[in-house]
Amino acid sequence: MRALNQPRERRQRGLFIAPGGNAVTAALAARWPLERIVVSPDDAQSGWAQIAENAGVPLVLADEEILEYIGDVPSAPDVLAIARMPKEQGELPRDGLILVLDGIGDPGNVGTLIRSADASGAAAVLCSQNSADAFGLKAVRASAGSVFHLPPLTFENHAPEALAAHLQRENLPIIVAVAHNGQSCFEYRWPARCALVLGHETRGVASVWEENASVRVTIPLFGRAESLNVAAAGAVLLYAARNQASQ
């Protein structure tokens, strides 16, 4: 189970860890396929044993030291689950906004952006191969359960070029977020169906996105900050699009 902290092991085994009660509860509510639930003997008595039985998921008891070792965090999570990786997708959603994460290396930002996409009602999330793994421990934890509500779509090829080509075949407008010199995200007329691409805070997005962008949007800055953190920027952009869609 500890080996699942490594991306290669997750891909080979088709499994990942859901750490903490919030993640496990969200996975169960979403009817996500779980291999087992791991909990300390004390916490098993607080209701997890009955929850696991009701869900038909095997329960494993482990000391807190083992939970801490598996979870790879300073303090042991109260519960862990071993979850199956999602199956490969064949199609994109027919409507709504698709959030594309390109070159975002911090797993905390990836998880937080999935959470924001879920909260704002985005249709889907796509992660390029040069972004942090959305199913790593830190990303799953940062998503606060949203990775089970809006898991990133899985395709055979996640290179930026392949994802951009897929979106183009669907005639999806590609909207690239840039820190400066783009159209104001509050004045732009967001299409009902589109792809919003967020990139690395310093390097930006891969060139293929720039080459195929329908428009570049920017969040206006009114103070002295040079820019926003990508997770904060993503939330603003997602809600700018959502606000317009609800009008």
Side-chain angles (χ1 to χ4, degrees), residues 20-112:
N22 287 342
V24 178
T25 300
L28 290 168
R31 299 184 180 277
W32 195 278
L34 301 179
E35 294 287 307
R36 61 181 64 87
I37 293 173
V38 185
V39 67
S40 72
D42 290 340
D43 284 316
Q45 301 307 315
S46 65
W48 282 110
Q50 188 62 53
I51 291 170
E53 182 179 351
N54 292 343
V57 180
L59 184 75
V60 178
L61 302 182
D63 290 339
E64 287 190 5
E65 292 85 353
I66 299 298
L67 286 167
E68 182 178 324
Y69 176 72
I70 295 170
D72 195 24
V73 290
S75 58
D78 54 343
V79 62
L80 297 167
I82 305 304
R84 295 181 199 165
M85 294 285 280
K87 296 180 180 178
E88 185 174 314
Q89 305 293 316
E91 299 181 355
L92 294 170
R94 301 310 306 170
D95 53 33
L97 182 147
I98 297 173
L99 178 63
V100 181
L101 307 183
D102 180 66
I104 299 177
D106 186 320
N109 283 337
V110 169
T112 301

Side-chain angles (χ1 to χ4, degrees), residues 15 26 42 44 116 134 144-145 149 159-160 166 174 176 190 200 203 241 244:
L15 301 170
D42 290 340
S116 295
H149 307 150
H166 198 151
I174 294 174
V176 173
W190 292 82
H200 190 274
R203 298 188 298 271
Q244 189 178 104

Side-chain angles (χ1 to χ4, degrees), residues 158-180:
H158 280 257
E161 295 76 12
L163 294 181
H166 198 151
L167 295 173
Q168 286 180 303
R169 286 194 295 271
E170 296 278 340
N171 295 315
L172 271 161
I174 294 174
I175 301 164
V176 173
V178 293
H180 306 287

